[in-house]
Amino acid sequence: MQNFKAYTILYIEDDKEVRKINSRILKRMFKTLIEAKDGFEGFKLYKKYKPHIILTDINLPKLDGISLSKKIRENDLNTKIIISTAFSNKDYLLEAIELNLEKYIIKPLSSKNLYPALKKAVKKIEESKDKKIYLNANFYFDCKNLLFYYKDSPLTLTKKEFLFLELLVKNRNRTISYEEIERVVWNEKYMSIYSLRTTIGFLRKKLPIKCIKNISNIGYKLNIE
């Protein structure tokens, strides 16, 4: 259960009493619990907080659980989604498979059916940590294949553009000095400020988000809000 403490979960359930009971359990397990009473509110909170896991009922007011999952999957293939329902429905099961959902749970929720689903979701998140570094929900660096992806399509970068961005991403908690950029990106050959700025200028035009910040007279760092 300790692994759960690093993650945020969004729980969507329209039945107030059921939501209250299950929220007590989830609050003890996870770092942050976000609650929603319908699908529309759930989608708004998903966009605002970007939770790691979503646990949602199917039969929700305003926007049902399957429709909600479809909206999320339009741009997000990575958030773990678990669906709960009072009835087993073959059509729902088939849609759940197509939407890459973690689990389809028959109510009532209990430690017997909920815990394995949550454990599976957390395990998948942790396994992917070293494989992908996310700059936002749709833009990430695949460490295994050494490629930057936007909406699961690889970006076309020059060698210097790639090396520079890789350097920033892998050292995202600190500022990279001009000297280090010259050593890694220019392979210790002379690097003029003009050539550096030109490379960064072209790179910025290719990136889907503004993530390169200049630290005056020092170097550059990754800037993600």
Side-chain angles (χ1 to χ4, degrees):
M1 191 176 292
Q2 193 62 37
N3 287 346
F4 294 178
K5 288 293 183 182
Y7 303 105
T8 297
I9 186 168
L10 169 61
Y11 177 39
I12 312 168
E13 169 61 63
D14 61 313
D15 187 310
K16 186 177 179 180
E17 290 306 311
V18 172
R19 190 172 69 248
K20 186 177 179 181
I21 292 168
N22 292 323
S23 289
R24 288 199 198 106
I25 300 169
L26 295 170
K27 200 171 286 186
R28 289 197 299 268
M29 294 172 71
F30 287 88
K31 176 185 177 182
T32 304
L33 168 66
I34 306 157
E35 298 178 52
K37 61 183 179 297
D38 59 63
F40 182 73
E41 182 184 34
F43 188 65
K44 284 176 64 178
L45 292 173
Y46 154 76
K47 290 196 295 183
K48 181 177 180 180
Y49 293 102
K50 288 293 189 290
H52 300 94
I53 300 170
I54 296 173
L55 172 60
T56 180
D57 188 27
I58 276 189
N59 297 310
L60 294 170
K62 300 183 181 179
L63 187 68
D64 67 85
I66 291 292
S67 297
L68 169 66
S69 300
K70 285 180 178 177
K71 282 177 69 69
I72 291 170
R73 286 292 182 250
E74 286 175 5
N75 296 304
D76 179 356
L77 302 175
N78 301 292
T79 298
K80 308 305 174 190
I81 303 175
I82 300 168
I83 281 195
S84 64
T85 181
F87 307 100
S88 179
N89 183 300
K90 186 177 179 181
D91 292 334
Y92 280 156
L93 283 169
L94 291 173
E95 286 195 271
I97 292 169
E98 290 178 3
L99 290 167
N100 190 31
L101 305 185
E102 292 305 308
K103 199 76 175 176
Y104 183 89
I105 302 176
I106 305 300
K107 288 183 173 181
L109 299 182
S110 67
S111 57
K112 187 176 181 180
N113 60 10
L114 181 58
Y115 182 75
L118 293 172
K119 187 177 179 182
K120 177 185 174 186
V122 168
K123 183 180 179 182
K124 282 192 175 182
I125 293 169
E126 294 189 338
E127 284 176 348
S128 68
K129 272 184 176 180
D130 295 330
K131 297 177 183 178
K132 296 177 183 177
I133 298 173
Y134 282 85
L135 286 79
N136 73 4
N138 300 310
F139 182 35
Y140 62 90
F141 177 55
D142 184 331
C143 300
K144 183 178 180 181
N145 297 308
L146 297 179
L147 288 170
F148 285 91
Y149 285 86
Y150 178 59
K151 292 185 177 180
D152 292 321
S153 295
L155 293 182
T156 302
L157 305 174
T158 66
K159 184 178 179 180
K160 281 189 172 64
E161 289 168 352
F162 172 81
L163 290 173
F164 176 79
L165 190 57
E166 180 190 33
L167 184 63
L168 261 60
V169 170
K170 287 189 173 180
N171 297 275
R172 53 197 177 280
N173 296 318
R174 67 184 181 89
T175 300
I176 307 299
S177 68
Y178 292 116
E179 290 77 16
E180 189 171 355
I181 296 169
E182 184 177 59
R183 185 174 70 252
V184 176
V185 182
W186 265 256
N187 196 25
E188 298 188 347
K189 295 177 182 176
Y190 174 72
M191 176 193 76
S192 69
I193 293 299
Y194 174 79
S195 61
L196 174 61
R197 288 176 179 169
T198 300
T199 298
I200 295 171
F202 282 117
L203 176 59
R204 279 179 169 145
K205 292 177 181 179
K206 297 179 181 180
L207 299 181
I209 60 172
K210 294 180 180 179
C211 60
I212 301 173
K213 183 177 181 180
N214 176 236
I215 308 301
S216 184
N217 299 318
I218 299 175
Y220 287 84
K221 69 175 293 186
L222 197 66
N223 182 42
I224 304 175
E225 297 299 326

